[in-house]
């Protein structure tokens, strides 16, 4: 297990592991990432659709994007990366702080998952307090609430703040971990991209798993330039062997 040489000898001291995950961890489940060549949908820039302004300008278009994503995500299965994270609970306290809305960590069996950006299963009214979880397809879009206003996905868009209770818990977990593994995120979106700083303040070891360079690669103790489904099972094997 040469790749993890840095922590191999200290593995018994690792009690609390926090994962920070992003779109890349679900890429091998067939869910496109946002940035890079994958980030285009029908020639629209995904970044421009994931805003509160885009929704109010053209709710039908944004809903068409979400309808397609919902179909893809509901049919997707967790990959070896998600499964490895779930299996790791046998060896340490594991918390997953995810920017993903696809629910695949939970499907893989992870028991402590904080969804920083909401969930694609959830919808809410853009005006009243109505909330629900819906797996079926919407035949008419944009769907309407009983109150007559437009329903929206219960996700966090650019220009919106994170659910504060979840974010506060995420900071606490990040500040207390021994090891933080950052997998499949470009770390360009704030505030999720500040989580490694909290871990660093606790002298945690920081490992990045990403085939490409990110904004924070130079801050990491170890960078593994490979995919998460390839790398994470090897990481679990190291715990099994020790
Ligand atoms: N394994 C690991 N990493 C991968 C893989 C893979 N198989 N494939 C791609 N990646 C990496 C890419 O190199 C990239 O750095 O995953 C990262 C995906 O980055 P983004 O598309 O920017 O996704 P993310 O970081 O999750 O975006 C953050 O932006 O649009 C918003 O709310 C949305 O939660 C999202 C947030």
């Amino acid at each position: 297990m040469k790749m993890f040489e840095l922590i191999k000898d200290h593995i018994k001291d690792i009690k609390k592991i926090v994962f920070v995950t992003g779109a890349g961890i679900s890429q091998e489940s067939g869910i496109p990432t946002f940035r890079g060549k994958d980030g285009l949908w029908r020639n629209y820039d995904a970044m421009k659709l994931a805003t509160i302004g885009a929704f109010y300008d053209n709710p039908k278009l944004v809903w068409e994007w979400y309808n397609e994503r919902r179909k893809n995500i509901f049919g997707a299965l967790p990959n070896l990366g998600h499964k490895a994270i779930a299996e790791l609970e046998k060896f340490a306290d594991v918390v997953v702080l995810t920017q993903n809305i696809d629910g695949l960590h939970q499907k893989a069996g992870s028991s402590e998952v904080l969804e920083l950006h909401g969930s694609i299963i959830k919808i809410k009214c853009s005006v009243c307090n109505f909330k629900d979880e819906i797996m079926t397809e919407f035949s008419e879009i944009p769907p309407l609430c009983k109150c007559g206003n437009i329903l929206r996905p219960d996700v966090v868009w650019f220009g919106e703040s994170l659910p504060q209770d979840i974010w506060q818990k995420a900071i606490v977990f990040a500040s207390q971990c021994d090891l933080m593994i950052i997998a499949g995120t470009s770390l360009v979106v704030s505030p999720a991209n500040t989580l490694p700083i909290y871990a660093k303040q606790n002298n945690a070891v920081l490992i990045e798993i990403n085939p490409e360079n990110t904004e924070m690669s130079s801050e990491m103790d170890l960078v593994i330039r490979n995919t998460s489904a390839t790398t994470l099972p090897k990481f679990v094997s190291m715990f099994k062997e020790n």
Side-chain angles (χ1 to χ4, degrees):
M1 225 43 71
K2 220 168 176 336
M3 160 193 298
F4 296 109
E5 209 65 46
L6 172 79
I7 53 168
K8 200 168 154 282
D9 296 336
H10 310 286
I11 207 138
K12 294 238 156 36
D13 303 327
I14 299 172
K15 306 273 185 255
K16 294 184 181 177
I17 305 177
V18 166
F19 282 86
V20 175
T21 66
I25 198 157
S26 295
Q27 188 262 337
E28 286 153 290
S29 292
I31 302 172
T33 59
F34 295 97
R35 292 169 184 80
K37 61 175 170 29
D38 275 354
L40 283 183
W41 174 78
R42 286 198 215 157
N43 293 326
Y44 290 98
D45 180 350
M47 289 309 94
K48 293 194 178 132
L49 289 174
T51 69
I52 182 73
F55 183 71
Y56 286 118
D57 284 350
N58 195 344
K60 190 163 178 288
L61 176 70
V62 173
W63 261 112
E64 275 167 1
W65 184 46
Y66 274 90
N67 252 356
E68 226 164 84
R69 292 177 68 199
R70 283 167 63 90
K71 220 185 278 174
N72 183 28
I73 287 173
F74 294 158
L77 295 171
N79 63 53
L80 292 175
H82 301 104
K83 288 181 186 167
I85 295 175
E87 195 181 357
L88 209 55
E89 290 185 15
K90 292 181 192 155
F91 308 100
D93 287 345
V94 179
V95 176
V96 183
L97 310 179
T98 190
Q99 298 165 84
N100 298 344
I101 59 173
D102 58 33
L104 289 184
H105 284 296
Q106 295 92 323
K107 264 197 194 168
S110 281
S111 54
E112 186 85 69
V113 182
L114 300 193
E115 294 178 311
L116 304 174
H117 292 170
S119 163
I120 198 152
I121 299 174
K122 296 182 180 159
I123 50 135
K124 65 180 179 185
C125 181
S126 54
V127 176
C128 80
N129 289 327
F130 178 77
K131 284 188 181 213
D132 204 354
E133 294 192 2
I134 296 190
M135 292 281 286
T136 49
E137 217 177 301
F138 293 100
S139 45
E140 274 184 44
I141 48 171
L144 297 182
C145 181
K146 285 192 198 101
C147 78
N149 290 294
I150 302 173
L151 291 168
R152 54 163 285 181
D154 194 358
V155 298
V156 178
W157 283 325
F158 289 108
E160 298 185 308
S161 52
L162 274 56
Q164 282 309 298
D165 49 339
I166 293 175
W167 176 242
Q168 290 308 322
K169 277 191 205 163
I171 291 176
V172 172
F173 283 124
S175 308
Q176 295 176 348
C177 68
D178 310 312
L179 170 62
M180 179 174 273
I181 300 185
I182 297 130
T185 172
S186 57
L187 289 176
V188 297
V189 173
S190 172
N193 66 355
T194 63
L195 290 167
I197 299 167
Y198 290 97
K200 210 164 187 163
Q201 283 166 355
N202 194 39
N203 289 319
V205 173
L206 262 52
I207 300 180
E208 178 173 76
I209 301 172
N210 196 316
E212 285 173 42
N213 193 55
T214 73
E215 303 268 317
M216 287 184 70
S217 291
S218 61
E219 306 290 319
M220 302 290 155
D221 296 297
L222 177 65
V223 175
I224 298 172
R225 288 271 169 262
N226 208 330
T227 75
S228 41
T230 307
T231 310
L232 287 167
K234 293 181 185 158
F235 183 71
V236 176
S237 298
M238 183 180 57
F239 277 82
K240 283 184 183 156
E241 286 161 11
N242 272 268

